[in-house]
């Protein structure tokens, strides 16, 4: 069964039964899904097993935004009234207007369970002192992960973002053993310490947990952070609309495994045709999530736009994945699909001749771009022949990604840093003077 590829064998019957009951009652709770199912001629009798999910219609981000505009604040798709909601989060809005995500008490408990399982998978333990460097406001990688780390029993240091000096103070005084943040902030913090003449390895951090944006699993990035901090790097993947972390990387596994348990069903689909893809090693596709027991945001076949590659299998046979980018960030150069994160991975391999920081400069909104692809790359600290380095980067992009690039080397520190998610592209209209 392709759809059941991410469901553990021991969970399959329970997930099927719970989801069948959930879908049967969904039209009574959500006017959005009542109308959507009617429009597509499907109903409770349509779903008898996990492979029947493919018979149900997709939900996407734009339909959720439209739903909330029609019925604010939580939308026509919400399954409960606002009085049942104990907390509200929001998507980051990187692909458009942010949307609100309501969480009931039961939803929050499920999130904590899933996220705690994910962090244990990544290597978090009760004895860890974790510096939590993610936004503690509306970001689902903030408060829900705090809940999960406290559930595990870790000592939590909730620094958040915009408080790097406090993060340094915590590193100096609290015996921090693990960091959690976006890949962008982990890079930022390391550079900040180096700028003060301090070696990140000297703080004794042994674990780095990253998530919140693609790139944490890039081999060059992981090698860089492991060398910079002397720590093991593991990655997690989640979604604001479904759950903070649903996939997590066991140390040394070479990919993330599904850790959502019985709360979410995952599909892998072809992003163009929408047809199911068997999650066998080497397969590539878009992740689609269906909630099994969600109360407030009971999404059915939600298209995440996260494009992943199946890298292998865990010892128990579970698929392992890497997120290679978002389908809505992808660029098309003469028919070739190019993910900005793939270019960043190439540039990172040349550290310390490059800093690993880059921006792709576009003449207008993508995804179609005429060659050559303009790429600004920061020089690193190591001495180099700039012209030879520029040609080397262009040749690596051409040979690995089969697109022609025009690389411009820029001085160290000249491209924007961020403590949150990095934007790897910039439209010419917002170019630097």
């Amino acid at each position: 069964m392709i759809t059941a590829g991410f469901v553990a064998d021991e969970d399959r019957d329970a997930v099927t039964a719970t989801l069948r009951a959930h879908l049967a009652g969904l039209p009574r709770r959500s006017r959005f899904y009542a109308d959507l199912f009617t429009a597509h001629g499907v109903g409770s009798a349509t779903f008898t097993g996990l492979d029947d999910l493919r018979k149900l219609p997709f939900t996407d981000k734009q339909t959720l935004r439209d739903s909330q505009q029609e019925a604010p604040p939580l939308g026509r798709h919400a399954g409960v009234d606002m009085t049942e909601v104990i907390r509200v989060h929001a998507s980051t809005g990187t692909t458009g207007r942010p949307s609100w995500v309501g969480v009931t008490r039961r939803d929050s408990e499920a999130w904590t369970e899933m996220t705690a399982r994910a962090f244990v998978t990544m290597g978090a333990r009760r004895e860890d002192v974790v510096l939590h460097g993610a936004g503690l406001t509306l970001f689902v990688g903030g408060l829900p992960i705090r809940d999960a780390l406290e559930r595990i029993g870790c000592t939590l240091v909730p620094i958040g973002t915009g408080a790097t000096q406090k993060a340094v103070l915590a590193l100096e005084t609290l015996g921090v053993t693990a960091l959690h943040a976006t890949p962008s902030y982990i890079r930022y913090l390391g550079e900040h310490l180096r700028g003060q003449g301090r070696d990140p390895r000297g703080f004794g951090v042994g674990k780095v947990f990253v998530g919140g944006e693609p790139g944490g699993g890039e081999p060059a990035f992981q090698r860089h952070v492991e060398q910079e901090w002397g720590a093991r790097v593991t990655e997690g993947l989640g979604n604001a609309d479904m759950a903070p972390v649903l996939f997590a990387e066991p140390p040394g596994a070479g990919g993330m495994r599904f850790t959502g348990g019985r709360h979410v069903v995952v599909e892998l689909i072809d992003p163009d045709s929408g047809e199911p893809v068997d999650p066998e090693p080497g397969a590539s596709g878009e992740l689609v999530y269906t909630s099994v027991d969600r109360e407030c945001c009971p999404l059915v076949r939600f298209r995440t736009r996260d494009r992943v590659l199946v890298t292998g299998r865990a010892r128990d046979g579970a698929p392992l994945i890497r997120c290679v980018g978002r389908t809505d960030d992808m660029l098309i150069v003469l028919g070739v699909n190019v993910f900005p994160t793939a270019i960043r991975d190439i540039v990172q391999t040349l550290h310390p001749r490059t800093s690993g920081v880059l921006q792709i400069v576009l003449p207008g909104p993508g995804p179609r771009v005429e060659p050559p692809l303009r790429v600004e790359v920061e020089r690193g600290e190591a001495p180099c022949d700039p012209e030879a380095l520029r040609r080397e980067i262009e040749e690596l992009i051409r040979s690995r990604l089969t697109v022609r690039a025009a690389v411009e080397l820029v001085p160290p520190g000249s491209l924007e840093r961020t403590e949150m998610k990095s934007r790897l592209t910039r439209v010419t209209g917002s170019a630097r003077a």
Side-chain angles (χ1 to χ4, degrees):
M1 292 188 293
I2 293 177
T3 304
F6 292 95
V7 179
D9 289 343
E10 62 270 22
D11 292 336
R12 199 159 292 174
D13 290 344
V15 168
T16 301
T18 305
L19 184 53
R20 185 186 298 118
H22 176 72
L23 292 173
L26 185 56
R28 293 193 300 272
R29 299 195 297 117
S30 171
R31 175 50 53 187
F32 171 88
Y33 279 111
D35 293 346
L36 186 65
F37 288 177
T38 298
H40 286 79
V42 298
S44 58
T46 304
F47 181 83
T48 60
L50 292 179
D51 264 11
D52 288 332
L53 269 179
R54 69 183 71 179
K55 301 176 183 178
L56 302 180
F58 290 114
T59 307
D60 62 27
K61 193 69 175 180
Q62 188 56 51
T63 59
L64 297 187
R65 294 192 187 100
D66 294 343
S67 168
Q68 292 193 345
Q69 285 185 327
E70 294 172 17
L74 297 180
R76 297 176 69 246
H77 61 282
V80 298
D81 186 77
M82 192 69 157
T83 58
E84 299 298 317
V85 173
I86 64 167
R87 192 167 66 224
V88 174
H89 289 276
S91 65
T92 58
T94 55
T95 60
R97 179 180 175 180
S99 55
W100 300 116
V101 180
V103 182
T104 69
R105 192 167 301 281
R106 194 177 82 179
D107 293 339
S108 177
E109 174 60 30
W111 274 18
T112 301
E113 175 195 326
M114 287 187 281
T115 306
R117 185 186 301 117
F119 272 84
V120 168
T121 299
M122 289 189 283
R125 297 293 182 266
R126 184 179 184 278
E127 59 269 22
D128 280 318
V129 178
V130 184
L131 193 157
H132 184 29
L136 296 171
T137 52
L138 294 172
F139 180 41
V140 297
L143 292 175
I145 287 178
R146 176 208 66 183
D147 294 344
L149 292 171
E150 290 179 354
R151 172 70 60 86
I152 294 168
C154 301
T155 301
L156 183 78
V157 187
I159 295 294
T161 57
T164 296
Q165 285 306 117
K166 291 182 179 178
V168 174
L169 180 62
L171 287 168
E172 291 172 337
T173 60
L174 291 177
V176 171
T177 64
L179 306 177
H180 169 254
T182 63
S184 295
Y185 186 60
I186 296 298
R187 184 194 300 274
Y188 177 93
L189 183 58
E191 289 185 349
H192 178 85
L193 290 169
R194 292 284 181 190
Q196 293 184 335
R198 310 183 73 173
D199 184 353
R201 298 174 67 96
F203 292 99
V205 173
K207 304 171 186 178
V208 175
F209 309 126
V210 295
E213 64 179 347
E218 294 170 6
F221 171 81
Q222 288 195 334
R223 286 195 300 270
H224 169 72
V225 173
E226 288 172 352
Q227 293 169 2
E228 179 90 328
W229 288 90
R232 183 186 65 224
V233 180
T234 50
E235 180 186 29
L237 174 68
N239 176 275
D241 296 281
M242 185 57 67
V245 192
L246 286 166
F247 284 85
E249 178 181 7
M256 297 175 285
R257 62 175 298 148
F258 178 61
T259 52
R262 298 181 177 183
H263 297 290
V264 179
V265 173
V266 180
E267 297 174 77
L268 190 66
I269 66 165
D270 182 295
D272 297 319
S273 69
E275 291 300 310
V277 173
D278 197 351
E280 289 295 323
S284 176
E286 177 186 342
L287 292 176
V288 173
Y289 297 148
T290 295
S291 62
V292 174
D293 54 6
R294 186 74 177 272
E295 290 185 325
C296 187
C297 296
L299 302 184
V300 175
R301 302 200 78 199
F302 178 72
R303 295 191 62 161
T304 66
R305 304 298 177 184
D306 287 332
R307 184 71 176 262
V308 303
L309 173 69
V310 181
T311 59
R313 290 197 175 275
R315 291 180 180 178
D316 62 356
L320 297 171
I321 66 166
R322 284 288 188 212
C323 185
V324 298
R326 292 184 54 84
T327 57
D328 40 19
D329 287 341
M330 184 180 72
L331 304 174
I332 303 174
V333 185
L334 290 182
V336 177
N337 296 340
V338 179
F339 288 97
T341 51
I343 297 177
R344 180 173 61 184
D345 192 32
I346 290 172
V347 170
Q348 184 68 62
T349 64
L350 301 175
H351 184 272
R353 287 182 292 159
T354 73
S355 70
V357 179
L358 65 85
Q359 279 205 324
I360 300 169
V361 183
L362 304 175
R368 300 191 182 279
V369 184
E370 291 297 319
L373 193 62
R374 285 186 57 200
V375 184
E376 294 181 349
V377 176
E378 265 192 11
R379 295 195 307 273
E381 299 175 354
C384 68
D385 178 339
E387 180 60 22
L389 177 59
R390 183 187 66 79
R391 290 197 303 267
E392 183 178 357
I393 297 171
E394 290 179 348
E395 175 57 26
L396 284 172
I397 293 173
R398 188 199 64 77
S399 62
R400 295 186 186 180
L401 304 180
T402 67
V403 299
R404 185 162 58 92
V407 171
E408 177 188 357
L409 295 179
V410 299
S414 61
L415 294 180
E416 180 185 12
R417 266 47 169 190
T418 176
E419 298 184 24
M420 294 296 290
K421 300 182 182 184
S422 292
R423 294 294 296 179
L424 299 183
T425 59
R426 186 180 78 243
V427 176
T428 305
S430 61
R432 294 173 295 121

